[in-house]
Amino acid sequence: MKISSAEFVKSAKDFSDCPKDGLAEIAFAGRSNVGKSMLINCLLQRKNLARTSSKPGRTRTVNFYRVNNLYMFADLPGYGWARVSKNERQSWKQMVEAYLEGRVELCAVVIIVDLRRGAETEEQELSAWLEHKGIPAIVVGTKADKLKSNARKHARRSLAEDLVIPDDEVLIFSGRTKEGRDDLWARLLEFLKG
Ligand code: GTP
Ligand code: MG
């Protein structure tokens, strides 16, 4: 995929604040620190367009990026951040659910999971919820560079089992080595064109 332009559009604090250009959109979801921002930078071939950090929970708003003036990427705030209060968790949930439910531009959600950690309750809930709502999901197992080939296979299989999808639907990815970038773009385009 050739990226001719990639630009930050805005950070939205609530649903009404989301951009209204009507471009076909992909959302990126996953727990804090899993590598959502790095994955977006990798797809867009930009070093630091989406801010990456070693401090979990940096992304608290939905951040929008316009791609080739054709598509929109939405970087959702990470969930499962241990240090946030109950109130903050509640407001996260409200924002993300309003977004996922109301965003008519949304074509698919990329669920990003750390291959070493696998899917936990939140990923299972998100995946089941998307299925229930009829929103397509693409499952990406990331930080693959941290695993040897056997461990990868094992991690991929258990991730697929936990999310009740076939093994080969789990995309293996690394923001560090850029492995999986082209495959992920191919999957995204299937939904962006449909
Ligand atoms: P929040 O916005 O805080 O929710 O985090 P995020 O999901 O956007 O994660 P981010 O992209 O900021 O990455 C978090 C940390 O993981 C950073 O230190 C990255 O360098 C690292 N990281 C992300 N992807 C990979 C990867 O594929 N491999 C390795 N080895 N490290 C990665
Ligand atoms: Mg981030």
Side-chain angles (χ1 to χ4, degrees), residues 30-39 41 50-60 75-79 112 116 142-146 173-177:
R31 65 179 58 245
S32 225
N33 219 34
V34 72
K36 295 176 294 299
S37 300
M38 198 168 184
L39 180 142
N41 286 329
R51 272 206 306 174
T52 58
S53 66
S54 50
K55 281 197 195 122
R58 189 82 175 252
T59 314
R60 305 294 270 273
D75 187 0
L76 300 181
Y79 52 79
I112 306 161
R116 298 167 305 169
T142 193
K143 305 200 183 180
D145 56 284
K146 300 222 179 191
F173 187 87
S174 163
R176 193 143 287 170
T177 66

Side-chain angles (χ1 to χ4, degrees), residues 94-107:
Q94 270 171 18
M95 164 65 170
V96 171
E97 283 187 4
Y99 168 84
L100 292 174
E101 236 168 320
R103 191 72 173 158
V104 291
E105 295 87 345
L106 187 62
C107 299

Side-chain angles (χ1 to χ4, degrees), residues 36-115:
K36 295 176 294 299
S37 300
M38 198 168 184
L39 180 142
I40 289 174
N41 286 329
C42 176
L43 287 173
L44 300 182
Q45 292 168 326
R46 298 292 188 274
K47 269 219 169 75
N48 219 2
L49 185 64
R51 272 206 306 174
T52 58
S53 66
S54 50
K55 281 197 195 122
R58 189 82 175 252
T59 314
R60 305 294 270 273
T61 46
V62 180
N63 294 330
F64 290 92
Y65 302 90
R66 196 185 293 111
V67 185
N68 289 357
N69 285 319
L70 260 183
Y71 312 124
M72 194 73 85
F73 279 6
D75 187 0
L76 300 181
Y79 52 79
W81 186 39
R83 273 165 291 175
V84 301
S85 66
K86 249 194 177 160
N87 270 350
E88 278 184 288
R89 205 173 289 238
Q90 201 52 35
S91 85
W92 176 88
K93 232 183 152 190
Q94 270 171 18
M95 164 65 170
V96 171
E97 283 187 4
Y99 168 84
L100 292 174
E101 236 168 320
R103 191 72 173 158
V104 291
E105 295 87 345
L106 187 62
C107 299
V109 176
V110 179
I111 303 178
I112 306 161
V113 186
D114 186 328
L115 271 176

